[in-house]
Amino acid sequence: MTIRVLLAEDHKMVRQGTRLYLEGMGVEIVGEATTGREAVHLAQELHPDVVVMDIHMPELTGIEATRRIRHEYPSI
């Protein structure tokens, strides 16, 4: 079973490095968000198994974005 992951990170280099690392372990990256608000939207659209969330995100903090995702989609 492949784990489907949404990456939420505003720094491009960190996001790319995390993507490469996770893909090397066989994880499927289904989307990338650069803001907390975008992460919430993509979680709704893509229904990943897991969201890897940066805490310090523009527009909406990673903590608040995670709260919203968990409230709307408790299986993520």
Side-chain angles (χ1 to χ4, degrees):
M1 178 183 159
T2 301
I3 298 172
R4 301 174 72 248
V5 172
L6 168 61
L7 287 179
E9 169 60 60
D10 58 324
H11 294 96
K12 184 177 181 178
M13 295 283 287
V14 175
R15 197 172 59 251
Q16 289 175 338
T18 303
R19 173 187 268 280
L20 287 172
Y21 179 76
L22 292 173
E23 286 178 335
M25 294 187 339
V27 172
E28 178 186 0
I29 305 302
V30 295
E32 296 182 11
T34 58
T35 70
R37 198 169 311 284
E38 184 181 22
V40 173
H41 172 76
L42 287 176
Q44 175 186 17
E45 183 180 308
L46 302 172
H47 302 285
D49 299 312
V50 175
V51 177
V52 176
M53 179 78 70
D54 180 11
I55 292 175
H56 303 286
M57 297 282 283
E59 294 183 21
L60 190 65
T61 69
I63 292 170
E64 183 57 31
T66 298
R67 282 186 185 125
R68 290 182 187 190
I69 291 167
R70 291 290 296 151
H71 176 73
E72 295 294 321
Y73 313 99
S75 65
I76 297 176

